[in-house]
Amino acid sequence: MSKAITPDRLISLDALRGFVMFWIMSGEHIMHALAKAVPIPVFIWMSSQLHHAEWNGITFYDMIFPIFLFVAGVSMPYSFEKKMNLAGVKTPRELPSKEKKKIYRSMLKRTCILLFLGFVVNGLLRFDGFDQTRFASVLGRIGLAWFFAGLIYLNFNLKSQLLWFTGILAGYYLAMKFIPVPDFGAGVLTKEGSLEGYIDRLFLPGRLHSTVYDPEGLFSTIPAVATALLGVFLGTFLKTNNHFSSGNKLAVMILAAIVLIGIGVIWDYDFPINKHLWTSSFVCFVGGFSILFFTFFYLVIDLLGFHKWAFPLLLIGSNSILIYIAAEGLVDFAHTAQYVFGGIIKFTPLIWQPVFTALSITFVQLLLLYFLYKKRWFLKV
């Protein structure tokens, strides 16, 4: 645990991180229950958006993970700023090699911790055997994608970073479309026939999430690096363009978002938007929406100063890794909520009881996060 929030970070970043994490930790259950209690079109639609697309296509739920990774990329230029100021340099490439080695060690340590925590979330400590252990994970992908995006950020100028970004997406597309898979051939973008699934079956140890492929597998982690790089580009833009007015910054971000969404839609015709395969079109499409979500939070919180409404999101966002691990099984929030509020909830109308149960779980989670926030205890990885 750390007793200090990382300095020089945008408040909107924690709020956006908290917003997407809210739906994972318990928000989805509130909406599903609400759609059953009050089956009006808007609630039914929102509930449908809180499921992953079966294969091709996109839902809001598919965007949560890449937005979280995007936010990690935005944070990167801010997290290295102090080191650059102490070294008296303006770009990370100019950092002395000795200082860079320290950063590399710190980055590698963080990645290893996230990989291990991902194993724990997957049930490593149940010791069900090597063959029954899933080694790919959400936290592991965050760690790996952030690490390699960090290496690119530290060692290349912006033009070269953009070339890396383009090369990753184009290279992944070409590999997925033209490298043949035994018994299937080239360009078969199905669970069994995709190159991503084949590489997972060939090289990924232990149990795969979906038997024939893993949505957090080895090969599809490569385009996830591009998702993190998109965040790096936005963070760099915000930090290095102080001469831009707020209005111009917002205009550039919205234009960039529209362009990326447009590229994703066009590319979808040949390389479908698919979260499971983390396709290049998916990176562009969700990258555009990530910028739009960030722009909203940045405008309302950082520019206009309306931040009190976002305090619950800040509680979540400032301890996002901790609440993710806890909600994924480390802590039985449902048991605690039932123990405290179950007696009251049983007196409410039967159709509303699942709604109040889901709300009580969120309330317990926020109480824990508020306690940690007041104590200034944050899980710093």
Side-chain angles (χ1 to χ4, degrees):
M1 286 283 190
S2 170
K3 292 193 177 184
I5 300 179
T6 303
D8 302 322
R9 75 196 308 169
L10 296 168
I11 298 175
S12 54
L13 283 181
D14 273 334
L16 177 55
R17 188 184 287 110
F19 172 73
V20 294
M21 186 57 66
F22 163 73
W23 299 107
I24 295 176
M25 75 181 204
S26 57
E28 60 177 303
H29 303 298
I30 296 174
M31 187 50 61
H32 294 325
L34 194 58
K36 291 180 180 179
V38 189
I40 60 176
V42 63
F43 289 161
I44 293 173
W45 176 80
M46 290 177 70
S47 176
S48 71
Q49 287 296 304
L50 292 170
H51 295 284
H52 288 302
E54 185 175 344
W55 190 242
N56 293 333
I58 189 79
T59 66
F60 170 73
Y61 208 62
D62 291 324
M63 296 186 186
I64 290 175
F65 183 8
I67 291 175
F68 193 92
L69 183 52
F70 170 85
V71 169
V74 178
S75 302
M76 195 176 296
Y78 290 89
S79 64
F80 290 144
E81 182 181 31
K82 186 176 180 179
K83 293 181 176 61
M84 289 188 289
N85 289 340
L86 290 174
V89 299
K90 293 183 178 181
T91 66
R93 290 187 304 124
E94 298 172 326
L95 285 168
S97 58
K98 185 177 180 180
E99 185 62 32
K100 276 191 178 181
K101 288 179 181 178
K102 291 180 182 178
I103 295 174
Y104 294 153
R105 286 194 293 268
S106 176
M107 291 171 60
L108 184 60
K109 178 183 176 182
R110 182 178 191 264
T111 300
C112 290
I113 291 173
L114 285 171
L115 284 167
F116 176 74
L117 290 176
F119 298 159
V120 172
V121 169
N122 287 346
L124 176 70
L125 301 183
R126 289 201 300 263
F127 302 111
D128 292 333
F130 185 86
D131 292 341
Q132 295 303 312
T133 300
R134 180 180 174 231
F135 290 94
S137 68
V138 168
L139 293 179
R141 172 162 290 185
I142 291 172
L144 289 170
W146 176 86
F147 177 79
F148 287 107
L151 291 182
I152 294 171
Y153 174 69
L154 285 169
N155 292 285
F156 296 92
N157 60 25
L158 181 59
K159 182 179 178 181
S160 297
Q161 291 170 27
L162 289 167
L163 289 174
W164 269 102
F165 173 79
T166 305
I168 288 170
L169 295 188
Y172 187 66
Y173 163 75
L174 293 172
M176 292 288 282
K177 293 287 287 186
F178 298 108
I179 295 179
V181 173
D183 300 324
F184 290 95
V188 179
L189 302 177
T190 63
K191 298 176 182 179
E192 300 89 350
S194 70
L195 179 65
E196 197 278 337
Y198 176 68
I199 290 175
D200 285 348
R201 295 191 298 273
L202 203 60
F203 297 108
L204 192 60
R207 176 179 62 85
L208 301 181
H209 178 275
S210 300
T211 308
V212 295
Y213 84 102
D214 199 296
E216 281 76 52
L218 294 173
F219 196 52
S220 58
T221 296
I222 295 174
V225 176
T227 297
L229 280 175
L230 272 176
V232 171
F233 297 152
L234 182 59
T236 302
F237 170 74
L238 291 174
K239 282 189 61 61
T240 59
N241 288 279
N242 294 325
H243 59 284
F244 275 40
S245 68
S246 298
N248 286 338
K249 285 184 178 180
L250 293 174
V252 170
M253 288 192 287
I254 292 172
L255 178 61
I258 293 172
V259 169
L260 283 168
I261 292 170
I263 292 172
V265 170
I266 294 170
W267 212 341
D268 175 62
Y269 286 97
D270 187 49
F271 197 28
I273 294 171
N274 186 306
K275 186 263 180 188
H276 306 271
L277 298 176
W278 212 282
T279 54
S280 303
S281 57
F282 173 79
V283 172
C284 294
F285 186 84
V286 179
F289 274 97
S290 298
I291 294 173
L292 289 180
F293 275 111
F294 172 79
T295 300
F296 170 79
F297 281 87
Y298 178 68
L299 170 63
V300 174
I301 296 175
D302 291 315
L303 296 184
L304 299 180
F306 299 122
H307 54 79
K308 290 184 178 179
W309 66 275
F311 182 64
L313 302 181
L314 294 175
L315 294 179
I316 301 169
S318 60
N319 247 324
S320 55
I321 297 296
L322 177 65
I323 194 61
Y324 173 77
I325 296 171
E328 285 294 299
L330 187 65
V331 178
D332 192 344
F333 290 109
H335 175 79
T336 303
Q338 177 64 27
Y339 185 84
V340 177
F341 299 105
I344 299 174
I345 291 174
K346 70 180 181 181
F347 291 110
T348 63
L350 188 62
I351 195 172
W352 282 94
Q353 288 184 14
V355 178
F356 292 124
T357 297
L359 286 170
S360 68
I361 291 172
T362 301
F363 183 74
V364 170
Q365 291 171 329
L366 288 175
L367 277 180
L368 170 63
L369 290 168
Y370 180 73
F371 171 79
L372 296 173
Y373 187 87
K374 294 298 287 185
K375 291 289 186 179
R376 311 297 291 173
W377 291 343
F378 304 97
L379 180 61
K380 185 179 180 183
V381 178

